[in-house]
């Protein structure tokens, strides 16, 4: 059962409440930044073996959420999955 004081919750509602998310493969889109972290559990996304390679991101690619956290928080945050176009 998910608690309101889950350790992963640190004010993400400020930028992820009602977020529209796209399920996609992680791709480095910058030459000086090769990874991102899950906005909740801080797991690492990158193209390197051993890291997460796919997950949910906001349309602007700014925030990434791993599958586990997406499933845990989708109701609390009212996430909506949209398709990439
Ligand atoms: Zn996570």
């Amino acid at each position: 059962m998910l608690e309101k004081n889950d350790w992963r919750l640190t004010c993400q509602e400020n930028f992820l409440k009602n977020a529209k998310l796209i399920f996609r493969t992680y791709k480095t889109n910058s030459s000086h930044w090769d990874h991102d972290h899950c906005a909740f559990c801080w797991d690492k996304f990158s193209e390197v073996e051993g890291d997460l390679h796919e997950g949910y991101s906001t349309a602007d690619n700014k925030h990434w959420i791993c599958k586990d956290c997406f499933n845990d928080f989708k109701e609390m945050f009212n996430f909506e999955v949209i398709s990439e176009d």
Side-chain angles (χ1 to χ4, degrees):
M1 187 63 203
L2 187 64
E3 302 281 345
K4 275 212 160 52
N5 61 358
D6 190 284
W7 65 270
R8 292 169 292 183
L9 286 170
T10 53
C11 300
Q12 290 95 341
E13 68 268 22
N14 293 338
F15 52 92
L16 287 175
K17 185 83 182 171
N18 303 316
K20 292 183 175 19
L21 302 171
I22 300 165
F23 186 76
R24 50 165 59 135
T25 302
Y26 186 82
K27 279 212 177 60
T28 306
N29 54 9
S30 157
S31 53
H32 52 269
W33 187 249
D34 63 359
H35 69 278
D36 275 288
H37 292 277
C38 171
F40 292 96
C41 71
W42 220 240
D43 253 10
K44 193 173 167 191
F45 289 93
S46 83
E47 294 177 11
V48 176
E49 199 173 335
D51 291 338
L52 298 173
H53 295 140
E54 54 183 22
Y56 295 86
S57 83
T58 49
D60 59 8
N61 243 329
K62 250 185 172 168
H63 302 291
W64 282 80
I65 302 169
C66 74
K67 282 188 217 168
D68 286 348
C69 293
F70 172 83
N71 284 320
D72 285 350
F73 295 112
K74 61 185 173 190
E75 272 118 33
M76 188 186 288
F77 282 76
N78 196 29
F79 290 146
E80 186 186 340
V81 178
I82 58 172
S83 55
E84 201 162 6
D85 50 26

